[in-house]
Amino acid sequence: MLVDGRTRLNTEERHPNERVLLVGDTRQHESVEAGRIFAQLREAGMKTVRLDEIVRQKNPELKQPVEQLAHDDVGLAIAG
């Protein structure tokens, strides 16, 4: 089961051997409701993997500003 920040889980539909993959971005806004579940799980030692390859943008002109934003270079990304 793949779970991102917008997913609501129905635990009654789970299968006994099912695994859950939590997907999130540590640089996005935190939860507005009680609980910071991804942050709390990471702080408790949950194993994480960092994805650092941008694959959505194929066109180099579109990919470059996305890469610049990923490296916190907002000025360059906006200036184009």
Side-chain angles (χ1 to χ4, degrees), residues 1-71:
M1 177 185 308
L2 182 65
V3 180
D4 69 9
R6 298 173 297 187
T7 304
R8 292 185 181 187
L9 297 176
N10 181 348
T11 56
E12 294 175 8
E13 295 179 9
R14 294 220 36 233
H15 300 283
N17 295 322
E18 187 173 45
R19 291 185 177 189
V20 176
L21 175 63
L22 303 175
V23 179
D25 186 341
T26 58
R27 295 175 55 182
Q28 288 183 349
H29 297 292
E30 288 288 337
S31 303
V32 294
E33 298 176 14
R36 299 165 34 248
I37 190 65
F38 289 142
Q40 290 171 344
L41 288 169
R42 282 192 326 271
E43 291 164 5
M46 177 179 71
K47 182 179 176 182
T48 61
V49 176
R50 180 180 173 90
L51 304 177
D52 57 6
E53 180 182 353
I54 297 169
V55 296
R56 181 175 289 174
Q57 285 76 18
K58 305 291 185 201
N59 179 320
E61 290 181 29
L62 299 176
K63 190 172 187 173
Q64 183 177 8
V66 173
E67 290 173 335
Q68 291 165 332
L69 289 170
H71 292 100

